[in-house]
Amino acid sequence: MKYSFDKSLGNISRMISKSLGKSLEAKLTARDIFITAEQWSVLSLLFQKKKLTQIEIGTLLGLDKVQIVRIIDILEKEQLVQRVISPTDKRFKNVNLTPKGIEIYHKIVPYATNVHADAFSSISEEDIKQCLATLEKINNNLKH
Amino acid sequence: MKYSFDKSLGNISRMISKSLGKSLEAKLTARDIFITAEQWSVLSLLFQKKKLTQIEIGTLLGLDKVQIVRIIDILEKEQLVQRVISPTDKRFKNVNLTPKGIEIYHKIVPYATNVHADAFSSISEEDIKQCLATLEKINNNLKH
DNA sequence: AAATATTAGTTACAAATGTAACTATTAAAA
DNA sequence: TTTTAATAGTTACATTTGTAACTAATATTT
C-alpha cells in the first residue's frame, strides 16, 4: 500500500480535530457560552454516563489526569459539575453534572449536532458509519 | 442519524492524531532522531513538492504561518531545509530540503510507514481507503 | 502489623502554542 | 504618482499544555 504522507491519517485527523473544535467554539462564543471543545467532551460524556471518576473520564477521552483536573476545575468553578469523594475509596472523586450542567448540556447539543452536520454534509450515512468504525479500530490499534 | 458524543469524530480524530504523533516521536527519539511529528509532516511534504513557500506549506498542512515559521526555523537550524527569497517577489521565501534533509527524510520513512502499519493492522486496505477518502471529504467540508 | 508499592488526584514549573502587533514588499486605488 | 491596502514572514507576549514531583489513600509485601 502506498502512503501519501502529506494527506496522511495523521495530518487529516489533526486538521479535522482542530477544525471541529474551532467550529464549535466559534458557535458557542457567539452565543456567549464559554465552553471549549474539550470541556464539551467531558460534559457530554458525563451526561451519558452520569457519574465517572477523573481517571475514567481521562481514559475514555484519551486525556491525561492533569488535563482532566484542569477541565474539571473550570467546570466545577462554573458549577456545571461537582466532585464527590467516593465513600468506599477516598482516593476517587466521582464527578457528575449539576442541574446547571445538564441545562447547558442541552443548550449546546444543537450546536454540536450542527458542527457534525456541517462536517458530514453531502456524505452518505453509510460512508460516515464505515469511516467512524474504521477510525475506532485504528484508535484501538494505537492503544498500545 | 444518532450522534454519540463521547466516541464522536472530534474525540476519535484528536486521539488518533495524538497517538500517531507520540508513536512516531517515540520511535525516532529511540534512534536519537529529534524530529517532531509536525516537523516530519513538513519534511515529507517538501520531499514530495520539492519547493514551497511557507504559506503554501501552512495551507497544505493546516498549520498557521507562525507555526510554520517556528518549524522552518528549527529545520533550517538543523540544516535540513533552506529558505530562498523569491527573486520575483521578495515577500516570498521558497523552502526546500537540503541534501541532509533528503537524507533524514529517507531515514525516517520506515518509521513513519511502521506507525501507519501499526495503526492499520488487521483492517482491510479497502476500508482504509474508504475511510481516508471520507476523512478528506470531511476535511474539505470544514474548510473556511 | 509495619514497610513498601500503587493509585487518584493535585500542584508547580518548564516548554509549547495562539494571538496580536510588527516589518518589508507588492498590489490596488485615489 | 502617492497613499492605501494587502500579503509573506517575523517577533513578542500571554495563554495553554506537558512533565515531574508531590499528597493522600489504599493495596501489597515482608
Side-chain angles (χ1 to χ4, degrees):
Chain A
M1 171 160 195
K2 197 186 141 282
Y3 298 99
S4 167
F5 291 116
D6 72 312
K7 299 205 168 179
S8 68
L9 180 65
N11 284 328
I12 292 189
S13 57
R14 179 177 41 72
M15 287 189 247
I16 289 175
S17 162
K18 184 66 65 70
S19 295
L20 288 172
K22 291 264 179 194
S23 177
L24 179 63
E25 286 167 18
K27 284 176 205 286
L28 295 182
T29 47
R31 297 295 211 276
D32 288 316
I33 302 171
F34 301 104
I35 299 282
T36 67
E38 286 184 354
Q39 288 164 20
W40 164 245
S41 293
V42 172
L43 286 178
S44 59
L45 181 65
L46 284 173
F47 183 82
Q48 263 193 289
K49 307 281 184 175
K50 303 305 174 203
K51 186 183 82 172
L52 291 171
T53 66
Q54 300 186 190
I55 291 286
E56 287 171 331
I57 295 170
T59 304
L60 287 166
L61 297 180
L63 298 169
D64 90 342
K65 59 188 182 174
V66 179
Q67 294 174 282
I68 297 300
V69 166
R70 286 197 269 246
I71 293 170
I72 302 297
D73 278 353
I74 292 165
L75 295 176
E76 197 179 39
K77 202 168 287 170
E78 301 287 327
Q79 299 182 311
L80 304 179
V81 305
Q82 61 180 359
R83 285 190 247 234
V84 179
I85 294 170
S86 164
T88 55
D89 187 333
K90 289 173 192 163
R91 286 173 302 182
F92 292 84
K93 296 189 179 177
N94 291 305
V95 184
N96 61 268
L97 292 182
T98 62
K100 195 178 165 193
I102 294 170
E103 195 189 312
I104 211 153
Y105 166 80
H106 287 299
K107 214 167 162 183
I108 295 176
V109 167
Y111 301 107
T113 305
N114 203 267
V115 170
H116 280 88
D118 283 352
F120 295 153
S121 76
S122 77
I123 305 175
S124 77
E125 197 164 319
E126 197 170 13
D127 278 356
I128 292 162
K129 271 184 189 162
Q130 195 274 358
C131 179
L132 286 171
T134 302
L135 288 178
E136 207 166 324
K137 281 184 202 165
I138 290 171
N139 196 35
N140 284 328
N141 282 343
L142 293 169
K143 279 174 191 161
H144 71 172
Chain B
M1 172 162 191
K2 199 186 140 282
Y3 298 101
S4 166
F5 291 115
D6 71 311
K7 299 208 168 175
S8 69
L9 180 65
N11 284 327
I12 292 188
S13 57
R14 179 177 41 72
M15 286 189 250
I16 289 175
S17 161
K18 184 65 67 71
S19 295
L20 288 172
K22 291 264 180 194
S23 177
L24 178 63
E25 286 167 19
K27 283 176 205 288
L28 295 182
T29 49
R31 297 297 211 277
D32 288 315
I33 302 171
F34 301 104
I35 299 282
T36 67
E38 287 184 354
Q39 289 164 20
W40 164 245
S41 294
V42 172
L43 287 179
S44 58
L45 181 65
L46 284 174
F47 183 82
Q48 263 193 287
K49 307 282 185 176
K50 303 303 173 204
K51 185 183 84 172
L52 290 170
T53 67
Q54 300 187 188
I55 291 285
E56 287 170 331
I57 295 170
T59 303
L60 287 167
L61 297 180
L63 298 169
D64 91 341
K65 58 188 182 174
V66 178
Q67 294 175 283
I68 297 299
V69 166
R70 287 197 267 247
I71 293 170
I72 302 297
D73 277 353
I74 291 165
L75 295 178
E76 198 179 39
K77 202 168 289 172
E78 300 289 326
Q79 301 181 309
L80 303 178
V81 305
Q82 61 181 359
R83 284 189 248 233
V84 180
I85 295 170
S86 164
T88 55
D89 187 334
K90 290 174 192 164
R91 287 173 300 181
F92 293 82
K93 296 189 180 177
N94 292 305
V95 184
N96 61 267
L97 292 183
T98 62
K100 195 178 164 191
I102 293 170
E103 193 189 313
I104 212 154
Y105 166 80
H106 287 298
K107 213 166 162 184
I108 294 176
V109 167
Y111 302 107
T113 306
N114 203 266
V115 169
H116 280 88
D118 284 352
F120 296 153
S121 77
S122 77
I123 305 175
S124 77
E125 197 165 319
E126 197 170 9
D127 279 356
I128 292 163
K129 270 185 190 159
Q130 195 275 357
C131 179
L132 286 171
T134 302
L135 289 179
E136 207 165 326
K137 283 185 201 163
I138 291 171
N139 196 35
N140 284 329
N141 282 342
L142 292 169
K143 269 174 193 161
H144 102 150

Short mmCIF file of all heavy atoms in Angstrom, two decimals, chain A residues 83-131:
data_model
loop_
_atom_site.label_atom_id
_atom_site.label_comp_id
_atom_site.label_asym_id
_atom_site.label_seq_id
_atom_site.Cartn_x
_atom_site.Cartn_y
_atom_site.Cartn_z
N ARG A 83 -17.64 17.43 42.25
CA ARG A 83 -16.78 16.31 42.63
C ARG A 83 -17.30 15.76 43.95
O ARG A 83 -17.52 16.54 44.89
CB ARG A 83 -15.35 16.78 42.83
CG ARG A 83 -14.60 17.06 41.54
CD ARG A 83 -13.11 17.27 41.82
NE ARG A 83 -12.74 18.64 41.55
CZ ARG A 83 -11.75 19.01 40.74
NH1 ARG A 83 -11.00 18.11 40.16
NH2 ARG A 83 -11.47 20.27 40.54
N VAL A 84 -17.48 14.44 44.01
CA VAL A 84 -17.91 13.80 45.26
C VAL A 84 -16.92 12.71 45.60
O VAL A 84 -16.72 11.77 44.83
CB VAL A 84 -19.33 13.19 45.12
CG1 VAL A 84 -19.75 12.53 46.42
CG2 VAL A 84 -20.33 14.25 44.68
N ILE A 85 -16.26 12.86 46.74
CA ILE A 85 -15.29 11.85 47.14
C ILE A 85 -15.99 10.52 47.38
O ILE A 85 -17.00 10.46 48.07
CB ILE A 85 -14.54 12.28 48.42
CG1 ILE A 85 -13.69 13.51 48.12
CG2 ILE A 85 -13.66 11.15 48.96
CD1 ILE A 85 -13.09 14.17 49.35
N SER A 86 -15.46 9.47 46.76
CA SER A 86 -16.06 8.15 46.90
C SER A 86 -16.01 7.69 48.36
O SER A 86 -14.95 7.75 48.99
CB SER A 86 -15.32 7.15 46.02
OG SER A 86 -15.63 5.83 46.41
N PRO A 87 -17.14 7.25 48.89
CA PRO A 87 -17.17 6.81 50.30
C PRO A 87 -16.39 5.51 50.50
O PRO A 87 -15.83 5.27 51.56
CB PRO A 87 -18.66 6.62 50.58
CG PRO A 87 -19.31 6.49 49.26
CD PRO A 87 -18.44 7.12 48.23
N THR A 88 -16.31 4.70 49.45
CA THR A 88 -15.65 3.40 49.58
C THR A 88 -14.13 3.50 49.39
O THR A 88 -13.37 2.68 49.90
CB THR A 88 -16.19 2.38 48.56
OG1 THR A 88 -16.08 2.96 47.25
CG2 THR A 88 -17.65 2.08 48.85
N ASP A 89 -13.69 4.51 48.64
CA ASP A 89 -12.25 4.70 48.42
C ASP A 89 -11.98 6.19 48.27
O ASP A 89 -12.26 6.77 47.23
CB ASP A 89 -11.81 3.93 47.17
CG ASP A 89 -10.29 3.95 46.99
OD1 ASP A 89 -9.65 4.91 47.46
OD2 ASP A 89 -9.75 3.02 46.37
N LYS A 90 -11.43 6.75 49.32
CA LYS A 90 -11.31 8.22 49.35
C LYS A 90 -10.33 8.79 48.33
O LYS A 90 -10.21 10.00 48.21
CB LYS A 90 -10.92 8.67 50.77
CG LYS A 90 -12.03 8.51 51.78
CD LYS A 90 -11.55 8.82 53.20
CE LYS A 90 -12.58 8.37 54.22
NZ LYS A 90 -12.00 8.27 55.60
N ARG A 91 -9.62 7.93 47.60
CA ARG A 91 -8.76 8.46 46.55
C ARG A 91 -9.59 8.92 45.35
O ARG A 91 -9.23 9.86 44.65
CB ARG A 91 -7.78 7.38 46.08
CG ARG A 91 -6.67 7.10 47.04
CD ARG A 91 -5.86 5.92 46.57
NE ARG A 91 -6.69 4.72 46.41
CZ ARG A 91 -6.21 3.53 46.03
NH1 ARG A 91 -4.93 3.41 45.75
NH2 ARG A 91 -7.00 2.50 45.93
N PHE A 92 -10.68 8.25 45.13
CA PHE A 92 -11.51 8.53 43.96
C PHE A 92 -12.46 9.69 44.19
O PHE A 92 -13.00 9.86 45.29
CB PHE A 92 -12.35 7.30 43.61
CG PHE A 92 -11.55 6.14 43.13
CD1 PHE A 92 -10.96 5.27 44.04
CD2 PHE A 92 -11.39 5.91 41.77
CE1 PHE A 92 -10.21 4.19 43.59
CE2 PHE A 92 -10.66 4.82 41.33
CZ PHE A 92 -10.06 3.97 42.24
N LYS A 93 -12.63 10.48 43.15
CA LYS A 93 -13.67 11.51 43.18
C LYS A 93 -14.63 11.26 42.04
O LYS A 93 -14.25 11.26 40.87
CB LYS A 93 -13.04 12.90 43.05
CG LYS A 93 -12.14 13.22 44.23
CD LYS A 93 -11.68 14.64 44.26
CE LYS A 93 -10.80 14.88 45.47
NZ LYS A 93 -10.25 16.25 45.51
N ASN A 94 -15.87 11.02 42.40
CA ASN A 94 -16.89 10.84 41.38
C ASN A 94 -17.37 12.20 40.90
O ASN A 94 -17.73 13.05 41.70
CB ASN A 94 -18.07 10.04 41.95
CG ASN A 94 -17.68 8.60 42.21
OD1 ASN A 94 -17.19 7.90 41.31
ND2 ASN A 94 -17.85 8.16 43.45
N VAL A 95 -17.34 12.36 39.61
CA VAL A 95 -17.75 13.63 39.02
C VAL A 95 -19.11 13.44 38.36
O VAL A 95 -19.33 12.44 37.68
CB VAL A 95 -16.73 14.11 37.97
CG1 VAL A 95 -17.11 15.49 37.43
CG2 VAL A 95 -15.32 14.13 38.56
N ASN A 96 -20.01 14.37 38.59
CA ASN A 96 -21.30 14.32 37.90
C ASN A 96 -21.78 15.72 37.55
O ASN A 96 -21.31 16.71 38.11
CB ASN A 96 -22.34 13.59 38.75
CG ASN A 96 -22.59 14.29 40.07
OD1 ASN A 96 -21.94 13.98 41.08
ND2 ASN A 96 -23.49 15.25 40.09
N LEU A 97 -22.69 15.78 36.60
CA LEU A 97 -23.25 17.07 36.18
C LEU A 97 -24.17 17.61 37.27
O LEU A 97 -24.87 16.86 37.95
CB LEU A 97 -24.06 16.91 34.90
CG LEU A 97 -23.30 16.57 33.61
CD1 LEU A 97 -24.28 16.51 32.44
CD2 LEU A 97 -22.20 17.57 33.33
N THR A 98 -24.16 18.92 37.44
CA THR A 98 -25.15 19.59 38.30
C THR A 98 -26.37 19.90 37.41
O THR A 98 -26.30 19.75 36.19
CB THR A 98 -24.59 20.92 38.81
OG1 THR A 98 -24.33 21.76 37.68
CG2 THR A 98 -23.32 20.72 39.61
N PRO A 99 -27.49 20.33 38.00
CA PRO A 99 -28.64 20.75 37.18
C PRO A 99 -28.21 21.81 36.16
O PRO A 99 -28.61 21.75 34.98
CB PRO A 99 -29.60 21.33 38.21
CG PRO A 99 -29.30 20.58 39.47
CD PRO A 99 -27.82 20.34 39.45
N LYS A 100 -27.37 22.75 36.58
CA LYS A 100 -26.89 23.77 35.66
C LYS A 100 -26.06 23.15 34.54
O LYS A 100 -26.12 23.59 33.39
CB LYS A 100 -26.03 24.79 36.44
CG LYS A 100 -25.78 26.08 35.69
CD LYS A 100 -24.95 27.06 36.54
CE LYS A 100 -24.38 28.19 35.70
NZ LYS A 100 -23.35 28.97 36.42
N GLY A 101 -25.31 22.10 34.87
CA GLY A 101 -24.52 21.40 33.87
C GLY A 101 -25.40 20.69 32.85
O GLY A 101 -25.12 20.70 31.65
N ILE A 102 -26.48 20.08 33.35
CA ILE A 102 -27.42 19.40 32.46
C ILE A 102 -28.10 20.41 31.54
O ILE A 102 -28.26 20.17 30.34
CB ILE A 102 -28.49 18.62 33.29
CG1 ILE A 102 -27.80 17.48 34.05
CG2 ILE A 102 -29.59 18.08 32.39
CD1 ILE A 102 -28.68 16.79 35.08
N GLU A 103 -28.43 21.55 32.13
CA GLU A 103 -29.06 22.62 31.35
C GLU A 103 -28.17 23.07 30.20
O GLU A 103 -28.61 23.16 29.05
CB GLU A 103 -29.34 23.79 32.31
CG GLU A 103 -30.29 24.84 31.77
CD GLU A 103 -30.31 26.06 32.70
OE1 GLU A 103 -30.44 25.87 33.93
OE2 GLU A 103 -30.17 27.19 32.19
N ILE A 104 -26.91 23.33 30.54
CA ILE A 104 -26.00 23.82 29.49
C ILE A 104 -25.69 22.72 28.48
O ILE A 104 -25.49 23.00 27.29
CB ILE A 104 -24.71 24.41 30.10
CG1 ILE A 104 -24.21 25.54 29.19
CG2 ILE A 104 -23.62 23.38 30.27
CD1 ILE A 104 -23.42 26.58 29.90
N TYR A 105 -25.72 21.48 28.94
CA TYR A 105 -25.55 20.36 28.00
C TYR A 105 -26.62 20.44 26.92
O TYR A 105 -26.31 20.41 25.73
CB TYR A 105 -25.63 19.01 28.72
CG TYR A 105 -25.81 17.86 27.77
CD1 TYR A 105 -24.73 17.33 27.08
CD2 TYR A 105 -27.08 17.33 27.53
CE1 TYR A 105 -24.90 16.30 26.17
CE2 TYR A 105 -27.26 16.30 26.61
CZ TYR A 105 -26.17 15.79 25.94
OH TYR A 105 -26.34 14.78 25.03
N HIS A 106 -27.87 20.58 27.35
CA HIS A 106 -28.97 20.62 26.38
C HIS A 106 -28.88 21.84 25.48
O HIS A 106 -29.28 21.81 24.31
CB HIS A 106 -30.31 20.59 27.11
CG HIS A 106 -30.65 19.25 27.68
ND1 HIS A 106 -30.80 18.13 26.90
CD2 HIS A 106 -30.83 18.84 28.96
CE1 HIS A 106 -31.08 17.08 27.68
NE2 HIS A 106 -31.10 17.50 28.93
N LYS A 107 -28.35 22.90 26.03
CA LYS A 107 -28.19 24.14 25.28
C LYS A 107 -27.16 23.97 24.16
O LYS A 107 -27.29 24.53 23.08
CB LYS A 107 -27.71 25.23 26.25
CG LYS A 107 -28.22 26.62 25.95
CD LYS A 107 -27.95 27.53 27.15
CE LYS A 107 -27.99 29.00 26.85
NZ LYS A 107 -27.64 29.79 28.05
N ILE A 108 -26.12 23.19 24.45
CA ILE A 108 -25.01 23.04 23.49
C ILE A 108 -25.30 21.99 22.43
O ILE A 108 -24.84 22.12 21.29
CB ILE A 108 -23.70 22.73 24.24
CG1 ILE A 108 -23.29 23.92 25.11
CG2 ILE A 108 -22.59 22.39 23.25
CD1 ILE A 108 -22.05 23.69 25.97
N VAL A 109 -26.09 20.96 22.78
CA VAL A 109 -26.33 19.86 21.84
C VAL A 109 -26.64 20.32 20.42
O VAL A 109 -26.03 19.81 19.46
CB VAL A 109 -27.45 18.91 22.36
CG1 VAL A 109 -27.92 17.97 21.25
CG2 VAL A 109 -26.95 18.09 23.53
N PRO A 110 -27.55 21.28 20.23
CA PRO A 110 -27.84 21.69 18.85
C PRO A 110 -26.62 22.20 18.09
O PRO A 110 -26.49 21.92 16.89
CB PRO A 110 -28.85 22.83 19.01
CG PRO A 110 -29.39 22.70 20.38
CD PRO A 110 -28.36 22.01 21.21
N TYR A 111 -25.75 22.92 18.77
CA TYR A 111 -24.56 23.45 18.10
C TYR A 111 -23.59 22.33 17.75
O TYR A 111 -23.01 22.31 16.67
CB TYR A 111 -23.88 24.51 18.97
CG TYR A 111 -24.80 25.66 19.29
CD1 TYR A 111 -25.32 25.81 20.57
CD2 TYR A 111 -25.18 26.55 18.30
CE1 TYR A 111 -26.20 26.85 20.85
CE2 TYR A 111 -26.05 27.58 18.57
CZ TYR A 111 -26.56 27.73 19.85
OH TYR A 111 -27.44 28.74 20.13
N ALA A 112 -23.43 21.39 18.67
CA ALA A 112 -22.55 20.25 18.41
C ALA A 112 -23.10 19.43 17.25
O ALA A 112 -22.35 19.00 16.36
CB ALA A 112 -22.42 19.39 19.66
N THR A 113 -24.41 19.23 17.24
CA THR A 113 -25.07 18.50 16.16
C THR A 113 -24.84 19.22 14.84
O THR A 113 -24.56 18.61 13.80
CB THR A 113 -26.58 18.38 16.43
OG1 THR A 113 -26.76 17.80 17.72
CG2 THR A 113 -27.26 17.51 15.39
N ASN A 114 -24.95 20.53 14.92
CA ASN A 114 -24.75 21.37 13.75
C ASN A 114 -23.36 21.24 13.16
O ASN A 114 -23.19 21.14 11.94
CB ASN A 114 -25.00 22.81 14.19
CG ASN A 114 -25.38 23.69 13.02
OD1 ASN A 114 -24.51 24.31 12.43
ND2 ASN A 114 -26.65 23.70 12.66
N VAL A 115 -22.37 21.23 14.04
CA VAL A 115 -20.98 21.08 13.59
C VAL A 115 -20.81 19.75 12.87
O VAL A 115 -20.20 19.68 11.81
CB VAL A 115 -20.00 21.18 14.78
CG1 VAL A 115 -18.60 20.77 14.36
CG2 VAL A 115 -19.99 22.60 15.34
N HIS A 116 -21.40 18.71 13.45
CA HIS A 116 -21.31 17.40 12.81
C HIS A 116 -22.02 17.41 11.46
O HIS A 116 -21.54 16.83 10.49
CB HIS A 116 -21.90 16.31 13.71
CG HIS A 116 -20.96 15.86 14.78
ND1 HIS A 116 -20.87 16.47 16.01
CD2 HIS A 116 -20.03 14.87 14.80
CE1 HIS A 116 -19.93 15.86 16.72
NE2 HIS A 116 -19.41 14.89 16.02
N ALA A 117 -23.17 18.04 11.42
CA ALA A 117 -23.93 18.11 10.16
C ALA A 117 -23.10 18.79 9.08
O ALA A 117 -23.04 18.31 7.94
CB ALA A 117 -25.25 18.85 10.39
N ASP A 118 -22.45 19.89 9.46
CA ASP A 118 -21.56 20.57 8.50
C ASP A 118 -20.47 19.61 8.02
O ASP A 118 -20.22 19.49 6.82
CB ASP A 118 -20.86 21.77 9.17
CG ASP A 118 -21.79 22.96 9.31
OD1 ASP A 118 -22.91 22.91 8.77
OD2 ASP A 118 -21.39 23.94 9.97
N ALA A 119 -19.84 18.96 8.97
CA ALA A 119 -18.71 18.08 8.65
C ALA A 119 -19.14 16.96 7.72
O ALA A 119 -18.42 16.58 6.80
CB ALA A 119 -18.12 17.51 9.93
N PHE A 120 -20.36 16.45 7.95
CA PHE A 120 -20.82 15.26 7.22
C PHE A 120 -21.66 15.60 5.99
O PHE A 120 -22.16 14.69 5.31
CB PHE A 120 -21.64 14.36 8.16
CG PHE A 120 -20.84 13.79 9.30
CD1 PHE A 120 -21.47 13.44 10.50
CD2 PHE A 120 -19.47 13.57 9.19
CE1 PHE A 120 -20.73 12.91 11.55
CE2 PHE A 120 -18.73 13.03 10.23
CZ PHE A 120 -19.37 12.70 11.42
N SER A 121 -21.82 16.87 5.69
CA SER A 121 -22.74 17.23 4.61
C SER A 121 -22.29 16.64 3.27
O SER A 121 -21.11 16.61 2.95
CB SER A 121 -22.87 18.75 4.50
OG SER A 121 -21.74 19.31 3.88
N SER A 122 -23.25 16.15 2.54
CA SER A 122 -23.06 15.52 1.23
C SER A 122 -22.21 14.26 1.29
O SER A 122 -21.61 13.85 0.30
CB SER A 122 -22.47 16.51 0.21
OG SER A 122 -21.09 16.67 0.43
N ILE A 123 -22.16 13.65 2.47
CA ILE A 123 -21.51 12.33 2.59
C ILE A 123 -22.59 11.36 3.07
O ILE A 123 -23.36 11.68 3.97
CB ILE A 123 -20.34 12.37 3.60
CG1 ILE A 123 -19.34 13.46 3.21
CG2 ILE A 123 -19.66 11.02 3.68
CD1 ILE A 123 -18.21 13.65 4.20
N SER A 124 -22.63 10.19 2.46
CA SER A 124 -23.69 9.24 2.80
C SER A 124 -23.53 8.72 4.22
O SER A 124 -22.42 8.61 4.74
CB SER A 124 -23.67 8.06 1.83
OG SER A 124 -22.63 7.17 2.17
N GLU A 125 -24.67 8.43 4.83
CA GLU A 125 -24.68 7.93 6.19
C GLU A 125 -23.85 6.66 6.33
O GLU A 125 -23.15 6.45 7.31
CB GLU A 125 -26.13 7.67 6.64
CG GLU A 125 -26.30 7.55 8.14
CD GLU A 125 -27.76 7.68 8.53
OE1 GLU A 125 -28.45 8.55 7.96
OE2 GLU A 125 -28.20 6.91 9.40
N GLU A 126 -23.91 5.86 5.29
CA GLU A 126 -23.17 4.60 5.29
C GLU A 126 -21.66 4.85 5.31
O GLU A 126 -20.91 4.24 6.08
CB GLU A 126 -23.55 3.78 4.06
CG GLU A 126 -23.16 2.31 4.17
CD GLU A 126 -23.77 1.49 3.02
OE1 GLU A 126 -24.26 2.10 2.05
OE2 GLU A 126 -23.71 0.26 3.10
N ASP A 127 -21.23 5.77 4.47
CA ASP A 127 -19.81 6.11 4.43
C ASP A 127 -19.33 6.62 5.79
O ASP A 127 -18.24 6.29 6.25
CB ASP A 127 -19.55 7.21 3.37
CG ASP A 127 -19.44 6.62 1.97
OD1 ASP A 127 -19.48 5.38 1.85
OD2 ASP A 127 -19.31 7.41 1.01
N ILE A 128 -20.16 7.44 6.42
CA ILE A 128 -19.79 8.01 7.72
C ILE A 128 -19.66 6.91 8.76
O ILE A 128 -18.70 6.85 9.51
CB ILE A 128 -20.82 9.06 8.16
CG1 ILE A 128 -20.72 10.28 7.23
CG2 ILE A 128 -20.60 9.48 9.60
CD1 ILE A 128 -21.94 11.17 7.29
N LYS A 129 -20.65 6.02 8.75
CA LYS A 129 -20.62 4.90 9.71
C LYS A 129 -19.37 4.06 9.52
O LYS A 129 -18.69 3.68 10.47
CB LYS A 129 -21.86 4.03 9.55
CG LYS A 129 -23.04 4.48 10.40
CD LYS A 129 -24.20 3.49 10.23
CE LYS A 129 -25.46 4.04 10.90
NZ LYS A 129 -26.68 3.34 10.40
N GLN A 130 -19.09 3.75 8.24
CA GLN A 130 -17.93 2.91 7.95
C GLN A 130 -16.66 3.62 8.38
O GLN A 130 -15.78 3.03 9.00
CB GLN A 130 -17.90 2.60 6.44
CG GLN A 130 -16.97 1.46 6.06
CD GLN A 130 -15.53 1.93 5.84
OE1 GLN A 130 -15.22 3.12 5.94
NE2 GLN A 130 -14.65 0.97 5.59
N CYS A 131 -16.59 4.91 8.10
CA CYS A 131 -15.41 5.70 8.45
C CYS A 131 -15.20 5.71 9.96
O CYS A 131 -14.10 5.45 10.45
CB CYS A 131 -15.57 7.11 7.89
SG CYS A 131 -14.20 8.21 8.29
#
